[in-house]
Amino acid sequence: MNTQKIGFLVDSGSDVPLEIIEKANIKVIPLKIIYSDKEYTDKVDIHAQDVYDRLDQEIPKTSLPSGEVISEMLQEFKNEGYEKVIAITISSGLSGTNNMVRLMAENIKDLEVFTLDTKNIGIGSGFLAIKATDYVEKGLAWEVIKEKLLDDVKKSKIFFQVPTLEYLQKGGRIGLVSSILGNVLNLKPIISCNENGIYHTVAKVRGNKKSIQRAIDLATEFAGNAKKYHLAIAFGGRTAEVQVDDIRVELKKKLPNFVKIYEDQISPALGVHTGPGLIGIGVQIIED
């Protein structure tokens, strides 16, 4: 068994399931939600539904925590006797968190920090944290863990169906997503992160039901002939949550070889940029 003490650090935008956070004692870097009158801490004193309920009054800004906060968290690992830390963040193409963690880690002596850019967001990123805890639990050597995680980046994918592009546009997070006349034509874009970790349009489908079905089909295509995989259903707010049961039934039918299905509300920080009603279908191929 691996006797090295390895800690885990993730950002709140990676939507790591609470059960994994608690089991592996993961520290979470909270992103910030900034309104004109107050600043909130992602998932701590604000939830995604709170953001949606106020969108017609104000679209807040999001920001990463200060370098000082990240430094303090890394210092805590050292104080707790950790020699090594695996830090997993959402795509560097969507946020400066990855770079900030790398910079802060350079200043902490005698603590080796491996910062993984997942090139992904939400549970698409969180899947990598799940895998990291699994590798450490199995006692794999540090260098092997790093190598495997880098390889695992391309084995995780999430397909988001969003009712409107309005919030991605307003938040400046549109990436390579074409601004189509979606509302006029009732076209619902399906968005994912490309190999550089930037949003792009994977498909445009008319109507809500058909676009969710297309997202499930895309996830099925991504899983390919894999013998084992984790699945995830991410949702944004009450309007999306009511669809989860039907989606789960369809997903199990299409992808029966799943080990586990994770279901959760997306982080408020992601909700700011996507607006209410988001549905995300995630797949992580886990055959070794």
Side-chain angles (χ1 to χ4, degrees), residues 161 186 188 190 205-217 243 246-247 250 279:
Q161 184 263 356
N186 195 24
K188 307 293 180 193
I190 295 165
V205 186
R206 188 163 283 128
N208 190 58
K209 207 167 180 184
K210 282 183 181 165
S211 70
I212 291 173
Q213 185 58 55
R214 184 76 181 107
I216 292 170
D217 292 344
Q243 303 172 71
D246 291 343
I247 292 168
E250 186 62 21
I279 293 286

Side-chain angles (χ1 to χ4, degrees), residues 136-148:
V136 171
E137 206 176 302
K138 284 179 177 164
L140 298 189
W142 175 247
E143 294 304 322
V144 174
I145 292 171
K146 292 199 291 185
E147 208 174 293
K148 278 182 167 289

Side-chain angles (χ1 to χ4, degrees), residues 35 40 45-55 58 60 237-238 265 268:
Y35 283 92
Y40 294 88
D45 56 5
I46 191 166
H47 300 284
Q49 191 63 49
D50 303 327
V51 171
Y52 306 139
D53 290 345
R54 288 176 65 179
L55 279 175
E58 185 181 355
R238 287 187 286 268
Q265 177 84 254

